[in-house]
Amino acid sequence: MVVKSEASDVPTYIAEVPAKRRAAIKKLRLLCKQNLTGYAECIEYGMPCYKRNSVMEVSFASQKKYIAVYVHKTKVVEDFRDKLSAASIGKCCIRYTNPDKIDFEVLERLLRRTAKSK
């Protein structure tokens, strides 16, 4: 359980994540780095974030009861809502209570769409 980390960088954040979630968090980071070209990786609000033009567009976190992926382009989340059946979805938050149920293929497509959006 990380919830709100005091880590100053993403590798430190990942090291704090419980072992049973660490592989999923590492995979999320890899997908972000591969698909969000031109974005700056940083820690904001105690979680890994990806900013374009100084604006946070994507972040993720290991919360107490789930892994959360935040996509701040609500139109993109809406477009993928029906493909994220294993998740609980809010306006911009995609929550997975079981890391094994994360559909990384769909998340990769969602990240690509985010990067293409203006």
Side-chain angles (χ1 to χ4, degrees), residues 4-89:
K4 183 150 189 218
S5 173
E6 298 298 323
S8 60
D9 59 39
V10 178
T12 304
Y13 178 92
I14 291 171
E16 294 176 350
V17 172
K20 66 182 180 182
R21 292 185 179 180
R22 198 168 301 129
I25 293 293
K26 284 181 178 181
K27 177 91 175 182
L28 282 171
R29 181 186 189 208
L30 179 63
L31 289 177
C32 287
K33 289 175 75 76
Q34 288 174 337
N35 293 285
L36 300 175
T37 50
Y39 285 67
E41 179 182 73
C42 61
I43 295 284
E44 294 268 337
Y45 306 103
M47 63 185 159
C49 298
Y50 297 85
K51 292 180 170 183
R52 178 167 50 177
N53 300 322
S54 301
V55 176
M56 183 173 24
E57 292 188 11
V58 175
S59 54
F60 57 83
S62 177
Q63 300 292 354
K64 185 175 182 177
K65 296 184 178 185
Y66 52 82
I67 290 175
V69 179
Y70 302 92
V71 179
H72 301 279
K73 303 253 179 169
T74 54
K75 170 79 169 98
V76 174
V77 175
E78 251 337 285
D79 290 347
F80 283 86
R81 185 174 291 274
D82 64 330
K83 294 167 185 65
L84 297 162
S85 59
S88 166
I89 306 167

Side-chain angles (χ1 to χ4, degrees), residues 106-118:
V106 171
L107 285 178
E108 183 171 22
R109 290 177 27 222
L110 186 144
L111 291 171
R112 279 192 215 137
R113 176 86 57 85
T114 299
K116 288 180 183 175
S117 67
K118 301 263 178 193

